[in-house]
Amino acid sequence: MHRRLTILIVGIAIISGSPGRLLAQEAQGEPPPPASDDVENILEQTLQQEENKQVKEEPQLQDPKKPEPKLTDLSGLANLAPFSDVAVIQKKFLPKTGRFEFFPGLGMVMNDAFFMNVGLNMRLAYFFSEYIGVEAALHVIGTSEKQVTKDLADKKGVVTRTLVSPQGYYGGAARWTPVYGKMGFLDKTIIPYDLYFLGGLGMTQTNQGTSSFTVHAGTGQTFALKKWMAARWELSWYFYNAKTSTGQGGGNFTNLWATVGLSFFFPEAKYR
């Protein structure tokens, strides 16, 4: 629209100015003004100049027939054409495929009102993919009285005994990690995390000197600190049937464990 308006103004100026220049030039004996062919040439030159100027001002778009550049590293982002290519970084900060995870942590039974069961929780896992892995577990557990139990004995003369107290656990589980993402921490850093679920079988040793078949299920998260280290928490449920201290048969028991610790991954992730 701007180019057409410019050409129209130039044409009107040339045509409107021609009669006056013709009379003045005839009176002074000067040669006649340009003929219509010359006017057309002037208009054609003006049109060509406007087209060249417009080509220079317009941004150079990528040739659709030209193959798109292939990204080999982050420096290739500078070669991308605006709004035609989108680079997405999808690889995880802490990859797990083909790696082992060693997890030493501290755990505590949360659903015992009178006794404190605290222990060392050790895990060794192997991941076939980012989502699927297997894990072996070993717990060493110690039991002590809580303050309320001591107060009952000292102030009320009431002796409290536990029916069943876990002393240890060993077993295996399958681990599924369907959710992963990133979270901000105090507006200063980004922490990648995984949310996992697990289920397995094992044996629980009790204070009655017996071992009980146990079904184990749990959920937890890992927060990547390095490519080889992560913080981890977990809530686990252990279901088993055990003989009680009363000697009147067995019963079904559930231990709810809360565990925190650090995970260490090896070998080094060479593909990330």
Side-chain angles (χ1 to χ4, degrees):
M1 185 69 178
H2 176 72
R3 178 169 58 86
R4 293 180 179 178
L5 181 59
T6 302
I7 295 173
L8 179 61
I9 294 174
V10 172
I12 293 175
I14 294 175
I15 294 174
S16 61
S18 297
R21 290 198 304 271
L22 177 61
L23 295 177
Q25 289 172 354
E26 287 180 352
Q28 298 176 4
E30 295 181 1
S36 61
D37 292 341
D38 295 332
V39 173
E40 292 180 0
N41 292 335
I42 294 174
L43 293 175
E44 186 67 27
Q45 292 176 3
T46 303
L47 175 62
Q48 187 63 36
Q49 291 176 359
E50 290 294 330
E51 290 180 352
N52 293 339
K53 182 178 179 181
Q54 184 178 6
V55 169
K56 291 181 180 180
E57 293 178 351
E58 291 180 352
Q60 296 295 329
L61 300 178
Q62 186 178 6
D63 187 359
K65 297 182 180 180
K66 184 179 178 180
E68 297 182 355
K70 301 296 183 181
L71 290 178
T72 57
D73 51 34
L74 294 180
S75 62
L77 294 174
N79 299 324
L80 298 178
F83 306 108
S84 63
D85 294 292
V86 178
V88 179
I89 301 175
Q90 294 181 333
K91 291 184 178 180
K92 297 178 66 177
F93 176 76
L94 178 60
K96 300 191 296 293
T97 304
R99 303 180 77 187
F100 292 91
E101 176 190 2
F102 174 63
F103 170 65
L106 292 177
M108 182 175 67
V109 174
M110 304 296 293
N111 60 334
D112 193 328
F114 298 97
F115 293 88
M116 181 176 296
N117 301 285
V118 179
L120 178 63
N121 186 340
M122 292 178 289
R123 312 280 185 89
L124 181 63
Y126 178 79
F127 295 93
F128 302 101
S129 69
E130 295 298 310
Y131 306 101
I132 302 297
V134 292
E135 183 174 82
L138 175 64
H139 303 347
V140 180
I141 306 168
T143 302
S144 62
E145 294 180 343
K146 289 186 176 180
Q147 187 62 44
V148 63
T149 305
K150 296 178 181 180
D151 290 342
L152 285 174
D154 297 339
K155 299 178 181 180
K156 302 294 183 180
V158 177
V159 178
T160 305
R161 292 185 300 176
T162 178
L163 294 177
V164 172
S165 177
Q167 301 296 301
Y169 171 84
Y170 61 89
R175 185 165 155 184
W176 179 43
T177 309
V179 179
Y180 68 92
K182 299 178 181 179
M183 60 180 294
F185 181 71
L186 297 178
D187 258 350
K188 293 183 178 180
T189 185
I190 300 296
I191 301 177
Y193 70 89
D194 291 341
L195 173 64
Y196 66 85
F197 302 92
L198 55 83
L201 305 173
M203 300 295 292
T204 297
Q205 290 80 40
T206 70
N207 60 342
Q208 304 305 312
T210 59
S211 295
S212 301
F213 178 75
T214 304
V215 177
H216 169 212
T219 183
Q221 285 182 294
T222 58
F223 298 90
L225 305 177
K226 302 286 183 181
K227 294 181 181 179
W228 53 271
M229 182 174 66
R232 175 177 169 181
W233 69 265
E234 181 180 301
L235 287 178
S236 305
W237 291 263
Y238 295 81
F239 307 94
Y240 58 94
N241 183 284
K243 180 182 177 181
T244 66
S245 60
T246 63
Q248 298 179 358
N252 295 320
F253 298 91
T254 301
N255 294 144
L256 172 60
W257 279 87
T259 308
V260 295
L262 292 176
S263 290
F264 302 92
F265 294 82
F266 60 94
E268 181 182 358
K270 298 181 180 180
Y271 57 91
R272 177 68 173 94

